[in-house]
Amino acid sequence: MRLIDGKAVAAELRAEVAGAVAKRVAAGCRPPALAVVLVGEDPASQVYVRNKVQACQEAGIRSRTHRLPADVAEAALLDLVQELNTDPEIDGILVQLPLPPQCNAARVIEAIHPGKDVDGFHPVNAGRLALGLPGFVPCTPAGCLRLLKTVHAELAGLEALVIGRSTIVGRPMAALLVSESATVTVAHSKSRDLPALVSRADIVVAAVGQAEMVRGGWLKPGATVIDVGINRVTGANGKARLVGDVAFAEAAEVAGAITPVPGGVGPMTIACLLLNTLRAAA
Ligand code: NDP
């Protein structure tokens, strides 16, 4: 069994981005610049934003964080997005989700200029991905694809199962795999006999949000498993720990390659955000 080291792959990608940024700057261009919009005080969002800002800094990317109060009116948030859309000093815009209830996330995302949409959530970018056209690809599935390619040089003809159909992970993941000529099945909460679907798959991408739901015994021997899930559970010792959507210890007995949680998909998401920001500047 091979452990897919997301930390190492992400570090390589971050170094590549840093190198490309340095080259741009040496050529006389300003560094790429990312605007991060954070609404409210959600503790998880604060941590995500802090990590993104720090990763930018390390890669030589400029970042600017706009903090808005939790009770901000949607119109004020839309005004800020509009301002950033036309700001020539900003290449990428990221609005950290979730937003408070008075701000409609779909409306806010749609207000971002598709050319600055480094999260790849805008309908134009989602549509381009669905059509197999170039555009900004959401960071988590883009990171999953990179990890898959460290195991399989060629994905054509492989049976891939994506569990989950969210707009940020499952759907774009399935579109990427179709573009790679894999044979793709998308499972969700209404799917029947998930174990049978899993048992056919050469590649399983689990993005469900349910701790250790995918059991090792379901897997085809030698399958490649990408575990997107991040679930906080309390262990027998009363301490909190993070687990994925796949029962790791069981799955590692059967899989050919598997990502750990943490240290698998998580680090790739930020690395792909840096890459998207560099592309937005280019
Ligand atoms: P969502 O809750 O938006 O989507 C979950 C999906 O799983 C839905 O499509 C749902 O189906 C499906 N599902 C739920 N229960 C079952 C079931 N019993 N059997 C089959 N499918 C089921 O989650 P996200 O896509 O946003 O995130 C998924 C996981 O990935 C979470 O743990 C999240 O924390 C993690 N995550 C990790 C990231 C990273 O950087 N590593 C980034 C983003 C997310 P239906 O559509 O029918 O409701």
Side-chain angles (χ1 to χ4, degrees):
M1 192 279 300
R2 174 169 153 199
L3 192 66
I4 304 172
D5 187 348
K7 260 194 206 162
V9 180
E12 244 172 66
L13 179 56
R14 284 164 67 154
E16 265 173 47
V17 171
V21 169
K23 244 193 192 161
R24 262 181 67 91
V25 173
C29 301
R30 72 156 166 73
L34 175 70
V36 181
V37 180
L38 175 59
V39 182
E41 309 285 331
D42 179 62
S45 293
Q46 307 245 16
V47 173
Y48 293 145
V49 165
R50 196 177 330 124
N51 292 343
K52 288 169 187 175
V53 165
Q54 193 187 334
C56 280
Q57 215 164 26
E58 284 168 20
I61 292 173
R62 269 187 207 154
S63 72
R64 196 206 285 164
T65 307
H66 296 262
R67 289 169 196 277
L68 300 176
D71 62 354
V72 70
E74 184 187 272
L77 177 54
L78 291 172
D79 283 348
L80 172 60
V81 168
Q82 201 47 49
E83 202 181 290
L84 296 169
N85 281 341
T86 54
D87 186 339
E89 295 297 312
I90 291 296
D91 303 302
I93 304 170
L94 180 159
V95 178
Q96 184 64 47
L97 302 178
L99 292 174
Q102 78 278 11
C103 298
N104 179 296
R107 235 181 340 251
V108 173
I109 288 166
E110 231 176 303
I112 297 172
H113 189 287
K116 293 191 176 187
D117 169 41
V118 287
D119 259 340
F121 296 161
H122 191 284
V124 166
N125 285 314
R128 294 187 69 87
L129 178 60
L131 294 173
L133 298 172
F136 288 111
V137 176
C139 302
T140 299
C144 292
L145 183 62
R146 279 179 177 265
L147 292 180
L148 279 171
K149 287 191 166 175
T150 66
V151 180
H152 304 274
E154 181 62 73
L155 299 176
L158 293 178
E159 291 263 354
L161 174 69
V162 179
I163 315 176
R165 55 174 165 179
S166 73
T167 51
I168 63 167
V169 191
R171 280 170 204 253
M173 186 73 242
L176 284 171
L177 288 165
V178 168
S179 290
E180 294 290 332
S181 299
T183 303
V184 184
T185 303
V186 180
H188 44 74
S189 67
K190 304 290 186 293
S191 295
R192 276 178 286 156
D193 203 355
L194 187 61
L197 296 174
V198 172
S199 71
R200 279 202 346 235
D202 304 301
I203 291 169
V204 177
V205 180
V208 189
Q210 299 211 11
E212 301 180 320
M213 187 194 77
V214 177
R215 310 312 305 187
W218 300 0
L219 292 168
K220 179 173 174 177
T224 300
V225 179
I226 305 290
D227 190 351
V228 183
I230 303 178
N231 308 288
R232 192 172 290 276
V233 296
T234 309
N237 58 4
K239 280 195 181 151
R241 62 189 180 99
L242 292 183
V243 299
D245 291 339
V246 179
F248 180 83
E250 288 174 12
E253 299 279 314
V254 187
I258 185 168
T259 58
V261 175
V265 174
M268 291 302 292
T269 298
I270 289 194
C272 289
L273 171 68
L274 301 180
L275 183 61
N276 277 353
T277 306
L278 172 66
R279 287 183 176 156

